[in-house]
Amino acid sequence: EEEEEEEGREAMFSEEEPAKVKKKRKPRKQKENKTPKMKKRKKEEQKSSTYLMDDWGLEDVDYEFTEEDYHTLTNYKTFSQFLRPLIAKKNPKIPMSKMMTVLGAKWREFS
């Protein structure tokens, strides 16, 4: 009787987990004329920075880039570090999402 109790306790506190049985999946049926999961965006005309600023009621920054600017502002990071304070100075309450959108548009126009 004691042996049965001991075996029962061992089974209860055993660290071994029962083997998991993998279920077989049914192959998926492909539907005809099904659109892909990732839909391609239609090529729409991207909005200019001026349009965005006017649309959002923000004051646009009119900065005349020099030839030197085209040599020093060679990537988006340096460009945004240069232009972000100018935009923020004229629009102190601009949300970050709009700031990033405007900077992207300005970079696209610059490069």
Side-chain angles (χ1 to χ4, degrees), residues 10 12 20 23 62 83 98 102:
E10 284 177 11
M12 209 185 299
K20 293 182 180 178
K23 295 180 181 178
D62 292 324
L83 206 58
K98 290 183 179 181
V102 169

Side-chain angles (χ1 to χ4, degrees), residues 29-83:
K29 294 179 184 177
Q30 290 187 347
K31 295 180 181 177
E32 291 180 31
N33 299 326
K34 186 178 178 185
T35 57
K37 284 187 178 182
M38 295 279 296
K39 291 183 180 179
K40 291 183 180 178
R41 285 187 173 181
K42 291 180 181 177
K43 288 206 172 188
E44 57 186 61
E45 186 119 356
Q46 293 183 325
K47 297 173 182 163
S48 69
S49 62
T50 306
Y51 176 84
L52 291 170
M53 298 291 264
D54 288 344
D55 191 38
W56 293 328
L58 300 169
E59 193 175 338
D60 199 359
V61 176
D62 292 324
Y63 182 82
E64 293 291 325
F65 292 102
T66 64
E67 195 62 37
E68 187 180 342
D69 290 334
Y70 286 102
H71 290 290
T72 57
L73 304 174
T74 56
N75 59 43
Y76 176 76
K77 185 177 179 181
T78 56
F79 177 81
S80 63
Q81 287 174 342
F82 173 77
L83 206 58

Side-chain angles (χ1 to χ4, degrees), residues 20-28:
K20 293 182 180 178
V21 179
K22 287 188 177 181
K23 295 180 181 178
K24 290 184 181 179
R25 289 187 178 182
K26 294 179 184 176
R28 290 185 178 183

